[in-house]
Amino acid sequence: MPYKNNKWAIYKLTLLVFLLLLSLGAAKVQAEVGDINGVTVDISLESQLDHYLNTLGDEETDSDAILFEVLATLSEKTPLATWVRAKSYEAFWYYYDGDTELAFEKLDKLLQVAAGSENADVKTEAQATQVELLQAEGKSGEAFLLINNVEIPLSSARMPRIRYYAHNLISRIYADWNRYDDALRHLLLAQDAVNETNNERTPIRKQYLDYSIAIIQSELKNWDGSLKTINDAIDSAKENGLEYELPDFYLHKSYVEAGMGDREASLDSLKGAYQAAIKDERKYLLPVILNNFGDHYMYADEWEEARGHLQEALKLAENVDDRNMAQTVHFNLGFIDVRQGKTESGLKEMLAAVQFFRDEGIKTEVEPMLGELALAYEFAGQFERQASTLKEQMTLKQELYQNDQQQNLANLQQLYESKDKEQQIELLERQNELKQQLLEINEQRSVIWLLLGIVVIFAALFIFLLYRKARRANLRLEEANNLLADQSRKDPLTGLLNRRALQEEMYERKQHGERREASAHSDGLILLDIDFFKRINDKYGHAGGDKVLMEVSQRLQKVCRTSDNLIRWGGEEFLFLVRNVDSSDLEEMSERILKEIAKEPVVYDGKEIFVTTTIGFIQLPFAKISEQEMDWEKVLQVADMALYTGKAHGRNRACGVTELHVEYEQARVVLESDLSAALDNKWISMVTIEGPQIDNNRS
């Protein structure tokens, strides 16, 4: 199992240092007041603040003393741009020193001062400081809402340092919300700001921005763009003698090349990462690189070569006390043992690594490990354990998906609540303004009737304009909500309906009391999973996997009737909800699906990928059981267990549960958890349809 160098963790950890190293101002310390791009500053204090940022993290320099010396010299004569810069650093200092309350008190004063200024650079820095502190506090919804407060003055800001800082900050927040296009746009604007400078920090910042842009491009699956950008960062590092970050650059390049399916180029980049890490004594990074070497050779079935790299990685990980990396290496070594016939010891080592991540609560590591463990069980011929492990992986994947959805919903709820409060405050402020105007009118009694008439006319006009503006805003909001609702029901890759769309339809079905006779007018559920999809992803990269998913969805649409619903259920799973069918119809349709998927290979990058699928199908309602007793989710769970029965018996087949021979109450518990027991007890009947035979090794 490859261990990903957590690029977003590195991005966030290093970003603070780079965001603080913002100064793009004068290099010489001068005592007199001057300007930067037309913005008045104290050149001497700006230089001291530059020095403060450059010495952060330097154990030989008391950077705190530098900052507080600057703060002690501030006065009413200090140019506002310099004063705001120093005070923003002071707020950050107290926050990271642990005094959150005092940090936000400093921030409030800073915002009050900036609000009374017309200087766009001053407003941008103050608002950006507020957003940065809220983000650090974990209040991502509030920070996201306030981005607009930064962007408005930022559009008129002139100082490269401030533009660089603000665009970087906004890019990071957009990336956290998975809005990678917006994140990339702001990184490019930050790059424009850096290009206006020419000092010792310029090549460092350009190199850093190239790395950040390459990461965003890879998140957008723009592999060619990401590869070109990271190559630029590598060339710049070598040209300017700034080679400390080269191991990270080469690691990302290797990740991109693997995603493109170029395994040899990926290996060359890993070698570059290793050599650079050795040169710069990046000992904490060496275990990651060596583990990725091992993964490369495992993919090529060069087991002893892989073992050698992994054993070296394990030794280095233990030396630097990197427990997570050590367990990942143990897992890979166990997999090698299984492939070389040492089944018992290999599985034991893999299970111990999985249990470690379970105990640590790192479920995002456990889920892909379960997939690899299931593959090991398959090689060992332990098909029951393989099926059980695949089921556990599916459950955990669903749990992680739901957790992510819940977090997104919480963030959106926080966002909308904050927006609603802002609108209420704005409305109250406008009401207070109207009341004040009326009081002033009443004081001028000599012209009260004339003024009253004028006020009535203007008030009516004002209210009419407000009403018209609000109505237009509501119409735009309604259009946006309708578009968002439609997008939220569609899978972005295949264009099919998604899980949420089916859940909404089944909710409507329940609300309206829709019921069908199982004999002649029942519905059906057909759940299918692409066989060996992980191998396809590993061999052809994510782009190849996406090509297979899109081609399979198109073939399934040929089978789908106009009255049916076709859903991308998740990952490589698809689901049909078919209307007005009996058992024989479901069998016929499942057989058509098997043939349609396997009829011809998917062509990607000039290569043929042979694809098959495994299916589980069932009628809804099942066996004339009321949907109040056995709802669609429980029926789908039975179809899912039928699918995994097909997986455990060789894949490329359809397994359908067709009849129930006992009372539902007797079989309820078994149907919800153990389909094999129901089959053994002859409580149910299952139909198996073999798919067309193809040579899976050719793909």
Side-chain angles (χ1 to χ4, degrees):
M1 177 179 180
Y3 187 92
K4 293 182 181 177
N5 183 25
N6 193 330
K7 55 185 180 298
W8 280 114
I10 294 174
Y11 179 38
K12 291 178 180 178
L13 288 173
T14 59
L15 188 59
L16 178 60
V17 174
F18 277 106
L19 288 177
L20 289 175
L21 296 177
L22 304 172
S23 176
L24 302 174
K28 297 181 180 180
V29 177
Q30 300 177 5
E32 71 277 3
V33 171
D35 73 86
I36 299 176
N37 282 15
V39 180
T40 303
V41 296
D42 185 315
I43 299 298
S44 176
L45 293 182
E46 290 284 335
S47 179
Q48 291 180 62
L49 290 171
D50 292 345
H51 183 51
Y52 163 67
L53 295 176
N54 287 324
T55 57
L56 281 174
D58 186 350
E59 296 180 356
E60 298 181 359
T61 305
D62 187 356
S63 57
D64 293 349
I66 299 172
L67 174 60
F68 282 95
E69 181 181 348
V70 171
L71 293 170
T73 63
L74 297 179
S75 68
E76 295 181 355
K77 296 182 180 180
T78 304
L80 189 55
T82 301
W83 187 92
V84 167
R85 180 186 182 187
K87 286 295 183 177
S88 69
Y89 293 173
E90 181 184 28
F92 282 124
W93 189 93
Y94 282 112
Y95 181 83
Y96 290 110
D97 193 51
D99 196 338
T100 303
E101 183 176 353
L102 183 55
F104 278 91
E105 286 180 8
K106 299 288 186 182
L107 173 64
D108 289 340
K109 183 176 180 181
L110 180 64
L111 291 171
Q112 291 175 8
V113 172
S117 171
E118 297 299 324
N119 188 310
D121 293 82
V122 167
K123 288 181 177 292
T124 300
E125 183 144 29
Q127 293 292 342
T129 301
Q130 181 184 26
V131 171
E132 179 84 11
L133 287 175
L134 287 172
Q135 186 78 352
E137 274 285 275
K139 299 178 179 179
S140 57
E142 291 184 40
F144 183 81
L145 269 178
L146 293 175
I147 285 180
N148 191 53
N149 291 355
V150 181
E151 288 185 307
I152 291 174
L154 176 58
S155 63
S156 302
R158 290 176 285 178
M159 295 176 65
R161 174 186 66 82
I162 292 176
R163 287 159 45 216
Y164 171 75
Y165 166 50
H167 284 303
N168 265 300
L169 171 63
I170 295 171
S171 171
R172 176 159 56 93
I173 294 174
Y174 277 136
D176 287 343
W177 283 73
N178 297 327
R179 291 178 54 170
Y180 297 116
D181 287 322
D182 290 322
L184 180 60
R185 176 169 56 86
H186 281 279
L187 282 175
L188 294 174
L189 291 171
Q191 199 172 54
D192 290 341
V194 173
N195 288 337
E196 294 178 18
T197 67
N198 184 20
N199 55 49
E200 61 182 358
R201 302 298 305 173
T202 299
I204 298 175
R205 294 185 179 92
K206 286 184 177 180
Q207 178 178 300
Y208 161 72
L209 286 172
D210 281 341
Y211 181 42
S212 301
I213 291 170
I215 291 174
I216 295 291
Q217 288 173 323
S218 65
E219 291 293 334
L220 292 169
K221 306 302 181 186
N222 179 6
W223 302 113
D224 292 332
S226 184
L227 182 62
K228 179 182 182 303
T229 306
I230 199 63
N231 278 331
D232 289 342
I234 291 171
D235 293 341
S236 175
K238 293 178 178 179
E239 180 180 346
N240 295 287
L242 303 170
E243 300 185 1
Y244 184 76
E245 302 295 336
L246 268 181
D248 300 286
F249 296 171
Y250 274 117
L251 264 180
H252 182 70
K253 183 182 179 186
S254 175
Y255 167 75
V256 171
E257 290 164 337
M260 297 172 72
D262 193 344
R263 305 290 299 185
E264 290 306 314
S266 178
L267 178 62
D268 290 339
S269 295
L270 278 178
K271 293 177 181 178
Y274 182 79
Q275 293 168 359
I278 290 291
K279 179 180 178 181
D280 288 313
E281 299 181 352
R282 299 283 298 279
K283 59 182 180 179
Y284 290 96
L285 201 55
L286 287 173
V288 176
I289 299 171
L290 289 167
N291 179 73
N292 285 6
F293 269 118
D295 178 70
H296 175 88
Y297 288 113
M298 288 168 64
Y299 178 85
D301 293 344
E302 298 181 27
W303 306 113
E304 290 306 319
E305 186 75 20
R307 185 186 297 276
H309 285 88
L310 290 172
Q311 287 174 340
E312 185 180 356
L314 179 61
K315 181 178 179 181
L316 291 173
E318 290 172 344
N319 287 343
V320 298
D321 197 26
D322 188 344
R323 297 171 62 212
N324 290 3
M325 188 71 254
Q327 290 299 323
T328 300
V329 175
H330 274 301
F331 185 87
N332 286 337
L333 287 169
F335 188 87
I336 292 176
D337 283 344
V338 172
R339 290 303 307 270
Q340 291 188 323
K342 302 173 185 177
T343 303
E344 183 176 353
S345 62
L347 290 174
K348 182 178 179 181
E349 190 167 11
M350 293 177 76
L351 287 167
V354 172
Q355 189 60 45
F356 168 82
F357 285 107
R358 280 201 188 102
D359 294 340
E360 294 293 317
I362 311 176
K363 295 181 180 180
T364 53
E365 290 292 334
V366 174
E367 188 272 323
M369 280 185 165
L370 289 175
E372 298 285 345
L373 181 60
L375 189 60
Y377 280 133
E378 181 179 351
F379 287 126
Q382 299 182 20
F383 299 112
E384 290 186 6
R385 288 189 174 183
Q386 179 196 12
S388 174
T389 303
L390 287 171
K391 182 177 180 181
E392 182 183 358
Q393 183 192 24
M394 179 193 68
T395 302
L396 181 56
K397 183 185 296 185
Q398 177 66 16
E399 178 185 344
L400 292 173
Y401 172 80
Q402 291 176 346
N403 290 342
D404 184 58
Q405 291 296 98
Q406 289 171 359
Q407 182 61 45
N408 287 339
L409 286 174
N411 286 337
L412 287 173
Q413 182 66 28
Q414 181 188 40
L415 188 153
Y416 287 126
E417 286 177 355
S418 298
K419 191 66 176 177
D420 184 58
K421 289 178 181 177
E422 282 189 4
Q423 291 175 344
Q424 291 178 15
I425 292 172
E426 182 180 358
L427 181 59
L428 287 172
E429 288 176 348
R430 290 180 178 177
Q431 290 174 345
N432 289 334
E433 289 175 2
L434 287 173
K435 290 178 181 179
Q436 184 62 35
Q437 290 175 4
L438 289 173
L439 288 174
E440 292 176 356
I441 291 169
N442 288 332
E443 292 176 356
Q444 302 176 18
R445 296 185 181 277
S446 60
V447 290
I448 186 169
W449 293 110
L450 176 61
L451 292 179
L452 182 59
I454 295 173
V455 167
V456 169
I457 293 172
F458 278 95
L461 179 61
F462 180 67
I463 292 172
F464 171 74
L465 292 175
L466 280 180
Y467 168 78
R468 189 169 67 173
K469 181 178 180 181
R471 187 170 182 274
R472 289 177 178 174
N474 286 336
L475 288 174
R476 289 195 297 270
L477 180 60
E478 183 178 357
E479 291 174 357
N481 285 338
N482 290 337
L483 179 60
L484 179 61
D486 183 67
Q487 291 175 342
S488 69
R489 292 167 50 85
K490 294 291 184 66
D491 173 58
L493 177 65
T494 63
L496 300 179
L497 295 176
N498 61 17
R499 183 187 295 256
R500 177 178 177 180
L502 178 67
Q503 290 170 335
E504 291 177 355
E505 177 164 336
M506 298 312 256
Y507 177 80
E508 289 295 321
R509 173 192 182 98
K510 182 177 180 181
Q511 290 295 105
H512 291 88
E514 180 180 351
R515 297 292 182 267
R516 299 178 184 272
E517 295 294 333
S519 59
H521 299 291
S522 68
D523 298 340
L525 296 173
I526 303 176
L527 181 65
L528 59 116
D529 183 280
I530 300 175
D531 295 331
F532 301 108
F533 185 75
K534 184 179 184 302
R535 293 186 185 177
I536 294 173
N537 257 343
D538 288 344
K539 187 169 184 179
Y540 300 97
H542 294 291
D546 288 349
K547 173 65 175 177
V548 169
L549 289 172
M550 289 187 288
E551 179 64 29
V552 167
S553 71
Q554 292 171 6
R555 295 181 185 181
L556 293 176
Q557 289 177 70
K558 296 178 181 178
V559 180
C560 185
R561 304 175 306 178
T562 56
S563 61
D564 301 338
N565 287 343
L566 174 58
I567 299 102
R568 184 181 178 194
W569 194 239
E572 63 270 25
E573 288 184 332
F574 297 83
L575 175 65
F576 282 87
L577 170 61
V578 293
R579 299 287 191 180
N580 299 325
V581 292
D582 57 23
S583 182
S584 62
D585 294 329
L586 285 175
E587 294 175 27
E588 178 183 354
M589 190 168 183
S590 298
E591 185 174 11
R592 287 176 60 201
I593 293 170
L594 290 170
K595 292 179 178 179
E596 183 67 29
I597 295 300
K599 68 177 182 180
E600 60 185 18
V602 176
V603 178
Y604 170 71
D605 199 20
K607 300 176 182 177
E608 294 184 339
I609 305 174
F610 289 84
V611 183
T612 61
T613 186
T614 302
I615 297 173
F617 62 89
I618 192 169
Q619 285 184 278
L620 175 70
F622 172 57
K624 299 184 180 180
I625 301 168
S626 167
E627 289 185 45
Q628 292 180 331
E629 292 183 82
M630 188 176 186
D631 61 23
W632 72 273
E633 291 178 301
K634 292 180 180 178
V635 175
L636 179 60
Q637 186 175 352
V638 176
D640 187 53
M641 288 188 283
L643 185 152
Y644 275 89
T645 299
K647 289 280 188 184
H649 287 82
R651 298 181 172 86
N652 190 20
R653 65 194 62 217
C655 294
V657 180
T658 57
E659 296 181 65
L660 178 64
H661 303 300
V662 297
E663 292 296 324
Y664 175 61
E665 284 300 322
Q666 180 180 352
R668 181 194 298 271
V669 175
V670 175
L671 285 177
E672 291 178 354
S673 60
D674 190 356
L675 195 64
S676 60
L679 285 168
D680 293 339
N681 292 333
K682 298 184 178 178
W683 290 353
I684 61 172
S685 295
M686 177 177 285
V687 173
T688 300
I689 304 168
E690 298 287 341
Q693 298 300 311
I694 68 170
D695 184 6
N696 284 327
N697 293 325
R698 294 171 64 187
S699 63

